[in-house]
Structure formats: structure tokens, C-alpha cells
Amino acid sequence: MSKKRILICVTAGIAIYKVVDVVSKLVKKGYELEIIMTEAATKLISPLVFETMGNCLVHTDMFHKGHHYEVEHIEIAKRADLCLVAPATANTIAKLANGIADNLLTSTLLAYTKDTFVAVAMNTNMLNNVATVDNINKLKNRGFKFINSKVGFLACNTYGDGRLAEPVEIVEEIDRYFIKKDLVGKKIIVTAGPTIERIDPVRYITNDSSGKMGYSIAEMAYNRGAEVVLISGPSKLNISDGINKIDIITNNELKNSIEKEFSNSDVLIMAAAPCDFRVKEQSKEKIKRKKESFNLELLPNEDILSHFGKIKENRLIIGFAAESNDLIENSKRKLENKNLDYIIANNITEKDAGFNVDTNKVKIVSKEEIIDIPLMLKSEVANKILDLI
Ligand code: CTP
């Protein structure tokens, strides 16, 4: 993936400043870039900014002296593995839809034969104009891939649809494009985050799970072509639009949501940290401060994974084991008791592993073997886990 070459076509939308960040992020990921700016775009940001951030050639003029290639627009078009138009203005979209080639950018795109992403950014009325709607539909029908604009505050001091997608989302789309789609046709349920069991209207029992591991698994599974259902307890994390996200709070809701998706699923990956207990009598009123001590009686919650382990049939089920001691022994016991294919053994007391950090260090335990996964990003651990499928 690291040597893929992306042609970035920059047109004159005010969101151009965000595209500098897109360029920076793509360079950090190891992509090679080549950039074309329209003349109007160069009035908003100097080509030197893109040249420096992209560490690449920036072309601006069809007819300038000292060409880099023999027939410039044909050669630039030939060299790219993927093209990104960002920000894509209504004007350039209209030209692309109608085969107009009146500058270096549009001429190159007319000669370009591989896939093009179009990251839309414009005023809401321009976006909703029938002409723009028709042009976008025309391009979609021809196979152009659109990165839709978002709703929010716009530079024209209005609120509505038309904001350029965030740089991180644009980069994710590009990453996803190049990833091998080896999970196409698989429906994968991923659970993530904590559950909450209420004590009274202002207090509850929960745990330290942030959801990072489960969200990484869901995102990577989606990138690899799977149909993903993410069932998540409360979490601040974002997830791609293409993932079916179901929000839950309690253990009961978690179990019911899995139940609804289980029958036609192929894989269940249980990265959630469900509460093991709930209070026997949840108070409807806020419990008042007391001077003396008092007891809260807790009841055991159902082991959700064991329930689905019992009815797994030919599905693949992967659990997690959060342990502070006897990692392998405890994990093997859970693998057996819950009838799992694999358990991801997680020593939560190790530095940079477990709850609330971006990295993890795990052992993949099955009946046959134990695979050691050294410290790496949770997104990389996610891919190791998905390789098991
Ligand atoms: N799990 C579950 N339902 C619960 C508790 C845990 O489905 N009520 C799942 C978790 O999502 C995880 C696996 O079971 O995939 C192991 O969870 P863990 O907290 O490590 O173990 P427990 O079974 O809760 O046992 P203990 O807390 O005693 O270690």
C-alpha cells in the first residue's frame, strides 16, 4: 500500500485549507503524491504550501515552459493509481460531468482511466441546485466515488450541508480503497465499550473500557469488505458511516441487540466489557447522603458470551479475557467454558495495553495454540484478529 501514487486535484473552494491537512496525512502514511491546482485555487493558497507538505510536484499551468513530462496532462493521468478531487467545487463537478477540458486539471481528468474520489464542498444552495444534483448523479453513474459533504457551519455564514468531510475521513476512504477486501460476504458482529447498570438516577456501575479495541476491529473489518454491525456501550469514539452502529447501555440491551443480528451472522467478536453485576433494587429517586454506611445488594448479570457460545453452530466466536493475573490459565478456562474458537488474552496491568490506550499487547489463545502479538497499535492488533477469520 505504501507506494501507491495519488493524484490530488485541488479546486478553488474555501475548504482548500483542510486539503493541506489531507496531503500531510497521506504523506505520513507513505503515499506518493502529485498535485494539480486550478489557477483559481492558487489564489487561495500558494502552490508552495502543497509542494512542501506533499513533498511532490504541483502543476498549475497547461502551457508553462519547462514541462516535467512530454505531454503533461496525459503523463500525469497515466502515473496515478487513484485520483482525489478535493475540494470539488460546483464548477469543476459541472465540467467533469460534461467532459469539459479547459485547464490542466480537467484535461488530465478527461484522460484519466482509473478511479476518482470527489470530495464535495460548497454552499448549500449550490449543492441543492438541480444542475449540481444532476451533475453529481451523472458522475456517480459513471463510477465516480463521492465523499459526501457534511452538515455544519459554512464559510458563507450559514448552517447546512456543504462542509468538506474531515481530513481523517477522506484519508480513511483512500486507505479503505487500497486494502485487500478479503472479508467480503461475511457478516461480523462486533461488541465494544462498557455497559452501565444504574444505581439511581445519577449514579451507576460501569468500568474503564473506552471501546477503542472493538471500534478498531469494526473499522478494519469494514475496510476489508465485511458487513459490520457494531454494538456499542457509551463511547466517545466515531465510526465510519458504512458500519451499522447500535447503541446500548445495559447488559440486557447488549444481549437483545446481539440476538437480533445473530441468526444471519458469520462471526461474533465480543470486545465489550459488560458489567458482571447489577444492583438488586435500582432506586427511582436519588439516594440521599447518609452519615452511616449502607450496603448495595448486587445480583450477577448473565454471561452473554456463554449464552451465544452455546448456540453458536458453525459461527466463529472470538472473546476477550481481561486479566490481571494468571493470564493464560484464566483465558483457557474462559475459552472452554464459553465455547469459543479464540480468546484474546489481555493483561490489563501491562503498560500501554488494555483499557483506554491506543496500543495493545495480547496473546491469541485457541485449543491448539497460543500466538504472541507484541505491542502494536490497536488497529494492527485488530487486523491480526481478523486474519483468524
Ligand atoms: N462477557 C460477557 N458477559 C458478561 C461478562 C463478560 O459476554 N457478563 C464477555 C466479554 O465481552 C469477554 C469475555 O466474556 O469477551 C470475558 O470477559 P471477562 O471480563 O474477561 O471475564 P468474565 O467472564 O466476566 O470473568 P471474570 O470477570 O471473572 O474474569
Side-chain angles (χ1 to χ4, degrees):
M1 186 177 95
S2 58
K3 285 297 157 204
K4 294 291 181 198
R5 189 178 185 83
I6 303 168
L7 171 63
I8 303 187
C9 292
V10 184
T11 74
I14 202 70
I16 190 171
Y17 72 96
K18 285 185 173 174
V19 179
V20 177
D21 194 18
V22 172
V23 165
S24 159
K25 285 185 161 60
L26 290 173
V27 168
K28 282 187 195 131
K29 285 190 162 249
Y31 291 105
E32 278 181 10
L33 306 183
E34 185 145 15
I35 297 174
I36 304 178
M37 297 175 76
T38 58
E39 197 192 337
T42 65
K43 299 205 162 113
L44 296 175
I45 284 193
S46 159
L48 191 60
V49 176
F50 281 106
E51 205 173 292
T52 310
M53 297 308 290
N55 190 21
C56 66
L57 291 174
V58 177
H59 309 273
T60 55
D61 184 6
M62 187 97 180
F63 304 105
H64 73 112
K65 291 203 180 95
H67 275 136
H68 300 288
Y69 312 115
E70 193 66 18
V71 185
E72 198 132 76
H73 61 293
I74 304 297
E75 190 57 30
I76 298 172
K78 245 193 251 166
R79 289 161 58 91
D81 297 302
L82 179 71
C83 175
L84 167 70
V85 187
T89 56
N91 185 38
T92 293
I93 288 173
K95 287 182 189 176
L96 295 183
N98 291 288
I100 293 172
D102 64 345
N103 60 34
L104 180 62
L105 188 148
T106 48
S107 305
T108 306
L109 281 173
L110 203 59
Y112 184 68
T113 54
K114 294 184 197 141
D115 285 331
T116 301
F117 276 105
V118 181
V120 178
M122 66 189 76
N123 161 272
T124 313
N125 291 340
M126 293 169 85
L127 184 66
N128 291 339
N129 189 297
V130 185
T132 308
V133 172
D134 281 353
N135 289 331
I136 289 176
N137 284 337
K138 241 191 218 174
L139 290 173
K140 279 185 179 163
N141 289 337
R142 282 186 214 149
F144 281 70
K145 297 170 190 304
F146 275 75
I147 302 176
N148 291 335
S149 53
K150 307 281 163 183
V151 173
F153 277 104
L154 305 179
C156 47
N157 260 332
T158 56
Y159 184 87
D161 196 355
R163 278 173 68 92
L164 185 72
E166 289 310 311
V168 66
E169 294 172 284
I170 296 175
V171 172
E172 269 170 16
E173 284 286 353
I174 290 173
D175 278 345
R176 192 171 302 132
Y177 178 81
F178 287 114
I179 282 174
K180 205 167 109 209
K181 306 284 183 290
D182 56 357
L183 295 177
V184 172
K186 298 268 179 258
K187 175 172 171 175
I188 302 181
I189 305 171
V190 183
T191 69
T195 60
I196 283 181
E197 296 293 350
R198 284 250 152 233
I199 298 170
D200 70 11
V202 295
R203 304 179 181 95
Y204 53 77
I205 302 173
T206 189
N207 58 61
D208 276 333
S209 170
S210 61
K212 281 183 178 168
M213 193 64 246
Y215 275 61
S216 288
I217 295 171
E219 195 72 55
M220 291 302 150
Y222 176 61
N223 288 350
R224 287 166 68 162
E227 177 193 344
V228 180
V229 179
L230 172 65
I231 305 176
S232 172
S235 168
K236 294 193 178 79
L237 302 172
N238 293 321
I239 200 79
S240 288
D241 288 345
I243 293 174
N244 175 10
K245 184 178 168 229
I246 300 168
D247 292 310
I248 56 93
I249 293 178
T250 63
N251 272 39
N252 252 342
E253 290 171 10
L254 177 58
K255 184 185 170 195
N256 293 340
S257 299
I258 300 174
E259 201 117 62
K260 283 191 192 129
E261 302 293 335
F262 197 67
S263 63
N264 64 349
S265 68
D266 301 290
V267 182
L268 168 64
I269 304 179
M270 194 83 182
C275 286
D276 286 332
F277 311 99
R278 66 183 183 281
V279 289
K280 185 174 179 194
E281 274 162 41
Q282 193 178 314
S283 172
K284 284 203 174 61
E285 312 298 339
K286 183 185 169 205
I287 299 171
K288 292 312 235 180
R289 181 159 45 80
K290 301 180 200 308
K291 291 229 166 70
E292 64 283 6
S293 65
F294 72 104
N295 293 318
L296 267 180
E297 192 175 346
L298 302 179
L299 297 176
N301 268 340
E302 183 182 0
D303 183 339
I304 300 169
L305 197 47
S306 280
H307 166 78
F308 289 102
K310 282 190 194 113
I311 54 168
K312 78 191 273 288
E313 295 175 343
N314 56 358
R315 287 175 197 82
L316 190 88
I317 302 197
I318 303 175
F320 275 73
E323 306 295 344
S324 55
N325 59 291
D326 303 321
L327 182 66
I328 298 300
E329 202 183 318
N330 284 334
S331 301
K332 279 190 164 166
R333 185 174 40 79
K334 287 177 189 174
L335 179 83
E336 181 88 25
N337 291 348
K338 296 177 195 247
N339 194 26
L340 311 177
D341 296 286
Y342 297 97
I343 192 145
I344 314 302
N346 218 170
N347 182 344
I348 50 169
T349 62
E350 277 206 48
K351 193 173 173 292
D352 298 326
F355 289 138
N356 239 321
V357 287
D358 290 328
T359 51
N360 212 353
K361 184 177 173 217
V362 302
K363 293 181 195 304
I364 299 177
V365 180
S366 67
K367 281 193 188 103
E368 293 77 32
E369 58 178 346
I370 297 174
I371 309 168
D372 233 314
I373 307 292
L375 189 73
M376 56 178 77
L377 287 174
K378 282 187 172 167
S379 53
E380 292 166 336
V381 176
N383 273 324
K384 299 276 179 207
I385 295 168
L386 294 168
D387 287 343
L388 301 169
I389 302 169

